[in-house]
Amino acid sequence: MELSSGAILAIIGAAISMGLAAIASGIGVGLAGVAGAGVISEDPKKFGPVLVLQALPQTQGIYGFLGAVLILIGVGVLGGVVKEIPIGMGYAALGGGIVIGLSSFTAVAQGAIAASGMGAVAKRPETFGQAVVLAVMAETFAIFGLLIAILIFVGTKIMGG
Amino acid sequence: MIRDVLSYLYVNATVMAKEGKFISAGRWDDLWGCTSPGEIASLLEGTDYFPYLSEAAVHEARALEKAILEEFSALGQEISKIIPKGAWPIREYLLKKWDVINLRTALRGMHGGLQKEHLMDSFLEGGELNVTFFKSFLDAEGMDDFVALLTGTPYQVLGEGLARYHETHNLFFLESLLDKVFWEDLWTKVLKARGIKEFREFVEVCVETHNLKIILRAKSDGLLREDIDPFLIPECAIIDKLLSTFDEEDLPGLLPLLEETPYFEPLVGAQHEYERTGSVVAFEEVLDSQALNKAQDIRRKKPFGPGPLIGFLVSKETEVKNLLAIVRSTEVDLSRDEVRESVMRKKWKLP
Amino acid sequence: MLRPTRMKKLQILALEGYRDTIVKGLQGLGTVHLTDYSEKLSDPPWKDLLQPHPLSPHVRKIATQNIALNRLLDLFERYDPEAREGFFKAVFAPLPPKKLESREVFGAELIETVDGIVEKVEGEVENPVKDLEKIEEEIAELRRSRGLLELVLSLEIDLRDVGESDYLSVSIGIAPKEALESIRERIEDLTDNTYYLGARETTENKLVTVIICLKEHASTVLPNLRRLNWERIELEGQEGKPQEAIDSIDTRLMELGQDKTEKEQIIVDAARRWRDELKKYQEFLMIERQRQESQTKFARMEHIVALEGWIPQHSVTRAVEEIQGVSNGACVVDISDPDDKDDVPVQLKNPKFFKSFELLTRLYGLPSYNGVDPTLFLAPGFLLFFSIMLTDALYGVIALVLGMSLIRGGGRYNEAIKDGGIILSSAGVATIIIGALSGGWFGGFGLRVPVLAALQVFDPMVQVTTFLLIALIIGLTHVNIGVVINVVDRLKTGQVWKAMSGNLWFLFIQPGLFFFLTGHKSLGYIFIVISLMLLFAGHKAMSMFQVTGFMGDILSYARLMALGLCTTGIAMTVNVLAGMLSVVGAIGTIFAVIIFLFGHLFNFLINAMGAFVHGLRLHYVEFFTKFYQSGGTEFKPLEMRFDIVEIK
């Protein structure tokens, strides 16, 4: 099957979106997980709050996944027939993928915050609400990244076109 | 930066969870009022100490003390296993501390002529030198023989304090040499180690307070400059001025020389107490609390690095010290307020 | 409404003789939050008048009794552990908690009864426990010896010979392999060559050694060897070859095992008979202790005690009657309003359904006494945000089912689980509505049913920009509500300038921009100028950050759309993947069904958590910051709260 250069660019965009997000989310979840293991080794009853905090940096990975899927649907890879994609549209998809991929690195910081939040919760369980809010703060810019990507996709008719 | 954060995450989370199990303020209130080991033991229910309590600990202060120290030693061993590689000086600190504690027990046993059977099970695991080694001390006859047994270990310098010990029959100088070996060794190591600035700052405070304690004690005992050299830890800038005028000034005259150091204000604050009692213990207590303050300070400033770990270790040691003080007070029959007073006076801020 | 329960300050002066009956009365009412007098006592005018009330002597006695009860219950638990419910059973289908009916026992009677019971139970278990200790000690000792014997198994000697005889001393020990030569040299030195040293290898680079020397040499040789890391193994009292000794130990261990089971049975029997009784009195003791300990908060002077506390306005009459009643009027009760300096405890007050959402308010921290209780606003906002971010009717059904099973399961006996269930099921209902409107039925899966498709008014995957716009409008409205609450609250409490200089500018700039952009330029200018004046007057140099701050807040609501799309997008992906598999034969269909079910379950879990967390965040960070004053102390009355006892 011959793919047009536009489609290839778009697919690279999808790959970057998911790939970078996976790395960033992985680091973030890893950071939180290490701390979580420390807390649980001391106090297994804290598993609930620890689990919620550890799951927070996962969201960026999901945004990356969503971005990739949106591109793949737009290009037609998901759905069977790969469309003829103009090269400009391909670049736009690549840009969308990059913005999601890069902005998902907020997961690293989020993981670190979640990790220290776990320590705080382990020490004083009543701080759970605050710890979650602190960690969620870091995610805002990943959401904005996803938002910009979606606007790019909509504006260039990759989505809904 | 991420690697630094990452390497301490596990140990920091663990120690914070452990801090959650520190004895609570309300529990301390109850503890002050305890008049028997049994009461203390029952109040330790639910804490980390509880599993270490033997049946005997309910009746006997000595057994209770041992249980508390055993928990502390087990904790040290547990922590030293999860300390990141880069923080090896902290591991040294945790290990060597138990050698010093065991040696101190042996020294006091020798000095006080304690029964061998009692001493036999006072030694605790956790240090670099094994317990069998300490048990071989029990055959020593007299302090000289005891110190001779230390030949070949870093602690052989205790020999330099023997003359003074025989002269005054006071353990202070032998114990100081023990501390000196410990801190000096650690100090040379942290000066070499990289990436552990916070711990270096902490050790620095300990080294400085050690030297200051020696100087103040020596001055109040009327010693001369040349007598105290073996007890001091070198490479400590703040004492230079004190040493240069050591023989001329009297004790209150020495304090203003420290004016630019953080120790000046607390020491001046304790001066009144010193004049009242005539004992340098007042100064020593103030100096002891400096290390704790430093550790708390580090923990506040470095929440992601070794800060929480250092803060925890020192807070835990304080908790143990306070508990031991309460346990010992049951032996000498102090009242609730006297116990509180005697512990609080040392300004060991509760964690 | 909108504020925590109004409180009155309650001050009581009573004759000392009525102290206990009054406290008992207050505990029975359960409406008075006692405060600590001693904090005031260091200052005049109280300083010279009153002293702190001493600790009741009963407290120590109760503590000791409690320890005794705990020890017994621990003992029972060790030999006869109580069945516990697993996590899921406890949450979704717990058994009704056990209740023990009893008449109320308190005061001297309680202490006496507990003493009696403790004595009785201790008498029953004392001997078996002692026997068990002895048995266990012996077992441990035998096991230790057995371990040592295993080390020396390779020695073919009769253990009877070990120890001291008339002329010789025979000892067995373990040493590191490399120490053998130095040991040999040392013994040679010390014994003038009259010795025997035999060595066999064991595991771990160790040697087991037999040392025979003259009896008079033994006392110098052995301590010396210890310094060479030679460790003596004490095997006195064993007979025969090591293997034989091990066999006889095993026989004895069997006997002891049987003995142990018998003794344990006695304790188990006692546990079955006494456990409930002990637990019942433990609870009575706890109530008694709370009452006795509350005395430390009082103050006293000759024959008179003074206490102070807070009481909800509506409970005042009843409480005053009760206090006057139990003290035969021999006390002075003063009711007054709180003044500004008082730290009045906070009791949230909300209508039934909203009460459950107090859980979410508490998660952030209680409002201060004079602040606004945000629960009434939080509940609808949270439900709306949650449902927009989850956007799938069938996910809503899952949430509803989960929530209902919480309410009907653990919620029957546990308030917190019930609150969680109500929040979850109402979020489920909201999600079903929003999901149906946006056509989410496991993604587009359910749209094949025409009725469901007809409900759809909006397609988030197509009308993306509309969705974003809706999200931002919701955000703007939400922030505006926050600002209005703040302004109204400040005006109500008379802080006019604070109301003007705060965030009021934001309410003016919006109509200003609206008029300006719709052509009514002069009207627009007026509003904008007023707004900017308020802004600069209130915030001075920080004005710029106010503007960017509000922009950031509103943009932040874009997450409603991003997360909503996320749910829809992933649900769609699951469907596509399952669809691709379902066309490759029977096995493909099976995998398709598995992927479909687990895919949607995963998507539900991860996005429901996201919706929950971000729904809260939008409230805590964007909404609460506009008006919320936190930092209240919780209202904790002295009360009689029994968990297992039911007073007849």
Side-chain angles (χ1 to χ4, degrees), chain C residues 355-397:
Chain C
K355 192 120 196 110
S356 301
F357 286 81
E358 286 176 2
L359 195 71
L360 302 182
T361 308
R362 278 169 202 278
L363 211 52
Y364 183 80
L366 280 176
S368 71
Y369 177 71
N370 286 316
V372 175
D373 173 4
T375 312
L376 275 184
F377 300 100
L378 186 141
F382 176 76
L383 292 179
L384 179 69
F385 297 167
F386 183 91
S387 54
I388 292 180
M389 287 185 272
L390 206 54
T391 26
D392 194 299
L394 289 180
Y395 291 175
V397 172

Side-chain angles (χ1 to χ4, degrees), chain B residues 131-143:
Chain B
V131 166
T132 334
F133 175 81
F134 290 107
K135 286 185 180 165
S136 68
F137 290 161
L138 301 180
D139 307 321
E141 290 181 7
M143 200 57 92

Side-chain angles (χ1 to χ4, degrees), chain B residues 30 33 39 42 45 55 130 132 135-136 139 149, chain C residues 60 67 70-71 74 133 223 226-227 229 231 289:
Chain B
D30 294 341
E39 276 178 90
S42 62
E45 205 180 319
E55 268 300 307
N130 67 18
T132 334
K135 286 185 180 165
S136 68
D139 307 321
L149 280 172
Chain C
R60 174 107 352 122
I67 290 164
N70 266 333
R71 280 182 95 91
D74 280 349
E133 262 169 30
R226 211 187 291 146
R227 288 180 202 166
N229 274 335
E231 254 179 283
R289 184 175 179 163

